[in-house]
Amino acid sequence: MTGPGRVAVGIDVGGTKTLAALVAADGTVLRRRRADTPAAAGPAAVLDTAAGLAAGLLPAAGDGPVGVGTAGTVDPATGGIRYATDSLPGWAGTPVTAELAGRLGRPVRVVNDVHAAALGESWAGAGRGRARVLLVSVGTGLGGALVRQGRVDAGARGAAGAVAHLSAPGAGRLRCGCGRYGHLEALASGTGLAAGYAVETGERITGREVAARAAAGDAAARGVVARAGAGLGAALAGLVTVLDPEAVLVAGGAAEALLPATTAAYAAELPAAWVDVPLLPAGLAGDAVVVGAARLAVDEEGD
Ligand SMILES: [Zn+2]
């Protein structure tokens, strides 16, 4: 994959933080600006914050375009939000592309944040040099995306790669964010770790705290993390046989905690024809979304 050949601005709109970055033609982040996302104040305030951060970077971007990765399902045709969780109240239905283009006075491209992260990782991170990469992101929730020849396969409704709702044997009667039961996200996500620990111990703590307790040797936490990691690894092994990628990348805040169990289950479940498909930790950490969004903006400028 070649670089886009110009500087662009990438924006990552998350439920708690918004990050804007000036991204060089080779995928290097040159400058960052960040702020708390005013999610509770509604979509207009969220858009104002994103635009304000990006505006400070535009002079250095020349006439470079702006790309946005955001939580929620993005309509590929309009760049509006089709569906979003409660992390961004009122975000569903927001025409993000049009609103930000109006505020910034230049073209804006919008994509789901996990899709952007997969694009960033395949361009300048752990998937560099591979034509076909599957990325899963284990954060508060669980997301995924497939990149082929430098493009995200977004699917018919912009939701391709939504691995959250695969049936997972270990998830039992845990409730998924979609409202159904026994799905992978109910097991392998920050909320899944928290729910699993509450079932085990009766104690309500965050997924991050469950991971920290597991690292410190807490037996119940270790069990919850091991089950989550194993469920994810088995699911990824199955997905590899369907999608036949060159590599699988695991990103997100809970990735490090789950990786040992995920790697073991993945290796145990993977059929012989795919044993050379590596499972790798993502490489760009918090920059993956802005890097991928900037890449998308440059790639689609002429479309
Ligand atoms: Zn679900």
Side-chain angles (χ1 to χ4, degrees):
M1 200 188 301
T2 57
R6 58 188 304 199
V7 175
V9 172
I11 307 175
D12 176 0
V13 180
T16 56
K17 297 280 183 195
T18 299
L19 171 66
L22 187 67
V23 180
D26 65 354
T28 305
V29 173
L30 302 171
R31 203 182 304 169
R32 295 174 188 81
R33 302 184 75 210
R34 70 181 76 231
D36 292 340
T37 302
V46 173
L47 292 164
D48 286 343
T49 295
L53 292 174
L57 299 170
L58 288 181
D63 63 350
V66 177
V68 180
T70 170
T73 302
V74 178
D75 186 328
T78 67
I81 306 299
R82 291 178 66 120
Y83 170 82
T85 67
D86 294 341
S87 70
L88 288 172
W91 200 231
T94 303
V96 177
T97 301
E99 290 286 339
L100 283 178
R103 282 167 171 78
L104 295 171
R106 67 177 67 196
V108 173
R109 301 286 175 165
V110 180
V111 68
N112 167 265
D113 53 3
V114 177
H115 289 189
L119 196 54
E121 288 287 345
S122 73
W123 173 32
R128 186 196 293 254
R130 300 178 196 267
R132 193 173 171 86
V133 171
L134 172 67
L135 175 139
V136 292
S137 180
V138 203
T140 305
L142 177 67
L146 182 68
V147 176
R148 301 187 299 178
Q149 307 291 352
R151 297 267 175 156
V152 173
D153 186 344
R157 67 201 62 234
V163 297
H165 314 293
L166 290 172
S167 178
R173 294 297 296 164
L174 291 174
R175 191 171 191 272
C176 181
C178 72
R180 301 191 188 278
Y181 290 83
H183 291 177
L184 187 58
E185 183 178 77
L187 185 69
S189 65
T191 51
L193 294 178
Y197 194 75
V199 168
E200 287 286 316
T201 66
E203 188 180 359
R204 293 223 154 261
I205 58 175
T206 66
R208 196 176 295 274
E209 288 168 323
V210 175
R213 288 192 189 184
D218 178 308
R222 287 173 67 104
V224 169
V225 168
R227 276 198 298 281
L232 181 62
L236 290 175
L239 285 169
V240 162
T241 69
V242 177
L243 301 170
D244 201 15
E246 291 174 29
V248 180
L249 311 183
V250 183
E256 190 182 351
L258 297 192
L259 262 174
T262 299
T263 303
Y266 177 80
E269 296 286 340
L270 204 60
W274 290 274
V275 291
D276 60 338
V277 181
L279 181 79
L280 305 168
L284 297 178
D287 285 337
V289 174
V290 291
V291 169
R295 171 75 196 222
L296 175 92
V298 173
D299 280 349
E300 296 195 348
E301 248 181 329
D303 288 6

